[in-house]
Amino acid sequence: MLAGTAACSGSSGSSGSGGSGGTGKGSGVTLTYWASNQASSIDGDKKVLGPELKKFEQQTGIKVNLQVIGWPDLLNKILAATSSGKGPDVLNIGNTWAPSLQATGAFLPFDSSALTAIGGKSKFVPASFATGGVAGKDPTSVPLYSLVYGLYYNKKMFADAGLKPPTTWEELQTDAKKLTDPSKGTYGMAMEGGSYTESVHFAFIFGQQQGADPFDSSGKPDFTSPGMVAGVKQYVDLMSDKVVNPSSVQYKNGPEAPGDFAKGKAAMLMSQNNADNTLVADGMKTSAYGVVAIPAPTGKKDIASFVAGINMSIFKNTKNKDAALKFVKFMTSEAEQKILDVPFAALPVVAGMTPNFTTNADEAKAFQGILATRAVPLPLVANESQFETNVGNAVNQLIAQAATGTPPTDSDIKAALQQAQDKMTPAG
Amino acid sequence: MSSGPHVKRAGGRSTRRLTPYLLIAPAIVLELLIHIVPMLVGVWMSFVGLTQSYIANWSTAPWEGLSSYRLALDFSSPIGNSFLHSFEVTCLYTVLVVGISWTFGMSAALVLHRNFTGRGFFRTLFLVPYAMPIYAGIMTWSFMLQRDNGLVNHVLKSLGVTNGESFWLIGSNAFWSMVVVAIWRSWPFAFLMLLAGLQNIPDDVYDAAAVDGAGVWKQIRYITLPALRPVNLVMILMLFLWTFNDFNTPFVLFGAQPPKSADIISVHIYGASFVNWDFGFGSAMSVILLVFLLVVTGLYLLIFNRRSTRA
């Protein structure tokens, strides 16, 4: 793999005069681009990105060698490229990895001149731009696709039960109980109980609602505060209260949970907006579901999501910095965002744009509103990735306990979070 | 008098002396590159704080001496304790998998050693798990062990053993699922090796024993097992090492973060290195594991080879 990427990146020169439509610096260069898998398949990504990369080549003379990397492999490939120094020129990263990858020092900081080259900081949605790296440092990534969590609800199931979408967490719990009927195989909520990423996302979101931050002001882990415990309990209680299918404790980031929702086996689904692709693929019409913000418990902070999404980075040792910056500018341009947001079901990262990933205007409005006013970034600290894995895994174990035995108590949750925090010590 | 023939003979001798070294040189170079050098790099990594902050430039990683080893071996700390727990799980896993695989392999080899109609079919059938691509086999098991649509729950419910709602891939059941899958994968190897060993025992010995009145169990105890001793010596060691280092079974069944009950050591080390991005600490645990396996292997060979020599 490393030899392959070395060959790919090695093929590029600094600049040249080739490329019939080439203009200016970078013309004739070949960039290697690692794209993350955003479509329902890797081939799907290639079909979407292929024509856009051709367009970029026609405009600039810069050829882009596209490699779409599946999510299970992406981080390890980035780490391998970081340690060997033989990576692509440009790549996509999960935006929650940004501070951790920034700490490796392998990525090009977007200082003021680099930001100017890609169109300026002001072109981005501020909440999305803030995910680019640790606060106070030049970011090492810029947003490409934005995603946020929303509460999907099945309109018919709610109407049949005489319910309206919940506006508080307590209402959500009551509604979920009403909509659960295990004898018919229907549950109030769908859950990806085996996914550590989902678990940590909700631990964070619900912790934020309870006023808790997982890291203190000096960046030290503080996972066991009463707010964090209450936030985790809020999520795990969905399983303890049996309003989710116990089998969903084994669901990972696959099609199962959205599939249950699409097939009417679950009345609600807390998911990022790119769930649309799976729901439609499972035969659910966009008119059949509604989206509202995930509600907070009465009197708690109105946080409904963290700022999820995909960012773009440039490897520091690229020999094609100017071409790479042009490519980032192209991908984050308003014109490309309009095109790419539709198949990838993403929110635009460019300020002032109207979401077009769905034809359902209410859904678009709901997600845009969540991103604008109710979403906060995940902790922007260097060991954020350890936070994700350790806390996410701890919450998964608690969900498993709820599904198979006794519902976890506050002290069980605190002990599990303490263990997760203790594991942070060596890397922290 | 010409010195030609003398020089030629000397040249010939030196070529003959060099030939074996030249022949094994490619193997030595490859062994160094593939095994020894990465192993030495791993040992070096265990003494430095190679975290995410230094992976872009390893040489800048701070020297930490034995601190990663102290952390791993401080069993009163949560990190050391989880390493110890992982080690204990791995020991139990290894004992069960090797022991049961050997028993299954031995039993099947004894039955299929005798001539009977259909012997070839059963021999082929029993080797299927060994011939099957390992990932495909374990992935199939992970589907079979699913709670809702898995075959295992379906069969157990049909037989009235359970209500068909058991979880096999989480909680304490995860350990037993992992053991079953590993036995399914390992026992055909034991079967194959033991069957080959049985072919080398002359029938005359059994005939003579039968004439002397030895029953089946006595024949197994006094003829078969002693004759299979060299095969068992190597095979059990290989199975032990493979099982102790097993990564594929837990990783394919559970992913990078297995349930606590199935947190065997290879995945535990993987987690420290590639999930928590602490390659120094991961390497320290690897070195401890390496030393442990070297000591166990050394003792095993010392004890059993000595007994073989005496015998």
Side-chain angles (χ1 to χ4, degrees):
Chain A
M1 177 202 77
L2 294 177
T5 49
C8 292
S9 48
S11 66
S12 45
S14 55
S15 64
S17 56
S20 54
T23 52
K25 248 180 158 182
S27 175
V29 162
T30 298
L31 290 175
T32 301
Y33 172 43
W34 285 0
S36 51
N37 177 203
Q38 299 304 126
S40 54
S41 69
I42 283 177
D43 272 349
D45 282 279
K46 287 180 180 168
K47 277 180 191 156
V48 171
L49 291 171
E52 304 314 307
L53 302 184
K54 277 276 168 221
K55 197 191 293 173
F56 176 66
E57 188 180 349
Q58 281 165 4
Q59 286 175 9
T60 62
I62 300 164
K63 195 168 182 284
V64 179
N65 175 9
L66 171 69
Q67 294 176 31
V68 182
I69 319 279
W71 281 104
D73 302 321
L74 185 58
L75 187 56
N76 276 352
K77 281 199 75 154
I78 295 173
L79 286 179
T82 301
S83 61
S84 66
K86 307 282 186 191
D89 298 286
V90 183
L91 73 162
N92 289 3
I93 62 169
N95 71 356
T96 61
W97 306 337
S100 299
L101 289 172
Q102 183 179 39
T104 67
F107 291 166
L108 181 82
F110 283 90
D111 55 18
S112 57
S113 72
L115 282 173
T116 306
I118 62 167
K121 175 183 171 180
S122 58
K123 84 169 185 180
F124 293 103
V125 173
S128 303
F129 185 80
T131 64
V134 176
K137 283 186 178 176
D138 289 331
T140 50
S141 64
V142 291
L144 175 61
Y145 311 123
S146 255
L147 302 164
V148 281
Y149 277 93
L151 176 69
Y152 288 75
Y153 65 95
N154 184 315
K155 285 181 179 171
K156 186 174 183 307
M157 289 172 82
F158 266 69
D160 289 349
L163 297 170
K164 286 184 176 173
T167 54
T168 65
W169 185 256
E170 291 81 1
E171 277 179 28
L172 182 146
Q173 287 176 307
T174 313
D175 294 351
K177 280 175 189 163
K178 271 189 193 165
L179 291 160
T180 296
D181 185 352
S183 65
K184 290 181 184 165
T186 55
Y187 292 87
M189 180 69 79
M191 178 190 252
E192 291 180 340
S195 158
Y196 80 85
T197 51
E198 291 298 297
S199 289
V200 75
H201 293 167
F202 289 117
F204 174 73
I205 293 167
F206 296 143
Q208 287 281 307
Q209 290 183 346
Q210 302 282 348
D213 278 316
F215 292 87
D216 66 18
S217 54
S218 63
K220 280 187 181 167
D222 184 17
F223 301 164
T224 57
S225 64
M228 280 299 290
V229 173
V232 170
K233 191 160 191 301
Q234 194 174 324
Y235 184 52
V236 175
D237 273 353
L238 291 170
M239 181 62 81
S240 303
D241 294 344
K242 309 289 181 203
V243 295
V244 297
N245 183 349
S247 297
S248 57
V249 69
Q250 291 178 203
Y251 291 178
K252 298 199 171 169
N253 300 95
E256 296 102 331
D260 279 359
F261 177 74
K263 289 166 194 156
K265 291 181 183 173
M268 289 180 274
L269 169 73
M270 296 186 293
S271 179
Q272 293 175 15
N273 48 295
N274 57 356
D276 282 26
N277 280 341
T278 318
L279 299 181
V280 172
D282 276 327
M284 192 175 200
K285 289 182 180 165
T286 54
S287 57
Y289 59 79
V291 175
V292 292
I294 296 171
T298 310
K300 300 294 180 183
K301 278 171 83 176
D302 198 11
I303 303 292
S305 179
F306 75 97
V307 185
I310 313 304
N311 285 7
M312 268 186 126
S313 286
I314 297 173
F315 254 95
K316 203 184 206 171
N317 59 359
T318 178
K319 291 173 184 163
N320 308 303
K321 182 181 160 185
D322 291 334
L325 287 168
K326 276 186 181 173
F327 182 54
V328 173
K329 184 181 184 183
F330 171 81
M331 291 291 282
T332 56
S333 66
E334 193 168 333
E336 282 309 300
Q337 289 281 301
K338 262 184 194 160
I339 294 167
L340 296 172
D341 284 352
V342 177
F344 295 154
L347 290 161
V349 297
V350 175
M353 280 181 69
T354 306
N356 63 345
F357 70 94
T358 173
T359 51
N360 183 333
D362 290 339
E363 182 192 359
K365 196 178 165 191
F367 276 120
Q368 197 176 24
I370 295 166
L371 178 63
T373 59
R374 293 177 168 182
V376 287
L378 270 169
L380 296 169
V381 294
N383 50 0
E384 194 282 334
S385 65
Q386 291 96 315
F387 160 67
E388 284 198 30
T389 50
N390 291 323
V391 172
N393 196 41
V395 176
N396 281 3
Q397 304 289 345
L398 291 164
I399 295 171
Q401 183 186 328
T404 56
T406 45
T409 60
D410 281 1
S411 59
D412 291 337
I413 294 169
K414 191 171 181 183
L417 290 173
Q418 183 67 54
Q419 275 190 358
Q421 183 167 313
D422 291 339
K423 286 183 187 171
M424 299 286 288
T425 311
Chain B
M1 189 178 145
S2 164
S3 62
H6 177 70
V7 171
K8 201 173 176 181
R9 270 202 304 278
R13 269 204 302 276
S14 67
T15 306
R16 273 200 299 278
R17 270 204 305 274
L18 277 175
T19 303
Y21 297 106
L22 289 172
L23 287 172
I24 61 166
I28 288 178
V29 170
L30 288 174
E31 176 66 17
L32 281 171
L33 285 176
I34 294 167
H35 282 135
I36 307 298
V37 172
M39 209 184 290
L40 293 175
V41 171
V43 172
W44 169 77
M45 280 164 65
S46 70
F47 293 107
V48 295
L50 189 58
T51 59
Q52 62 195 12
S53 305
Y54 305 101
I55 56 169
N57 188 359
W58 294 21
S59 61
T60 57
W63 181 261
E64 294 205 334
L66 293 170
S67 70
S68 289
Y69 290 92
R70 276 195 289 271
L71 191 65
L73 296 172
D74 178 8
F75 301 137
S76 59
S77 76
I79 292 168
N81 188 263
S82 67
F83 180 53
L84 178 65
H85 169 264
S86 174
F87 178 77
E88 288 167 351
V89 170
T90 312
C91 288
L92 183 61
Y93 172 69
T94 306
V95 168
L96 288 169
V97 172
V98 174
I100 298 173
S101 296
W102 182 87
T103 310
F104 280 12
M106 188 71 197
S107 309
L110 284 170
V111 172
L112 296 183
H113 175 53
R114 313 261 167 199
N115 232 335
F116 65 91
T117 311
R119 184 174 74 159
F121 170 76
F122 283 108
R123 281 185 177 183
T124 311
L125 182 71
F126 288 171
L127 288 174
V128 166
Y130 195 57
M132 191 181 262
I134 189 166
Y135 278 82
I138 302 173
M139 282 168 76
T140 307
W141 270 103
S142 76
F143 289 127
M144 285 166 49
L145 292 164
Q146 291 296 321
R147 180 179 186 249
D148 281 352
N149 309 311
L151 186 69
V152 173
N153 268 347
H154 182 72
V155 170
L156 291 175
K157 189 180 179 185
S158 306
L159 296 172
V161 179
T162 66
N163 62 1
E165 293 182 353
S166 307
F167 287 100
W168 296 106
L169 295 172
I170 59 170
S172 57
N173 283 352
F175 174 77
W176 298 107
S177 299
M178 183 173 69
V179 167
V180 168
V181 175
I183 291 169
W184 169 84
R185 190 172 55 82
S186 300
W187 84 268
F189 173 72
F191 164 67
L192 190 67
M193 294 283 281
L194 291 166
L195 191 64
L198 285 172
Q199 313 285 335
N200 289 328
I201 307 173
D203 287 343
D204 302 356
V205 186
Y206 288 107
D207 293 341
V211 169
D212 288 343
V216 173
W217 291 113
K218 280 198 172 175
Q219 287 181 21
I220 290 172
R221 185 175 170 192
Y222 293 109
I223 300 171
T224 311
L225 289 177
L228 286 177
R229 187 183 173 81
V231 176
N232 274 325
L233 185 72
V234 176
M235 189 199 69
I236 289 173
L237 182 63
M238 286 169 78
L239 271 181
F240 164 74
L241 291 173
W242 287 346
T243 311
F244 208 94
N245 287 317
D246 189 11
F247 180 79
N248 293 324
T249 310
F251 191 79
V252 178
L253 279 180
F254 313 114
Q257 300 272 298
K260 201 177 173 191
S261 71
D263 183 27
I264 64 172
I265 211 148
S266 54
V267 188
H268 190 82
I269 292 171
Y270 176 86
S273 301
F274 291 95
V275 179
N276 278 332
W277 298 21
D278 191 349
F279 298 92
F281 183 60
S283 299
M285 289 193 288
S286 297
V287 172
I288 293 169
L289 179 66
L290 174 73
V291 171
F292 170 77
L293 291 177
L294 280 176
V295 168
V296 171
T297 305
L299 286 174
Y300 177 86
L301 291 175
L302 197 71
I303 293 166
F304 288 99
N305 272 339
R306 188 177 289 167
R307 282 190 195 165
S308 300
T309 312
R310 279 191 202 137

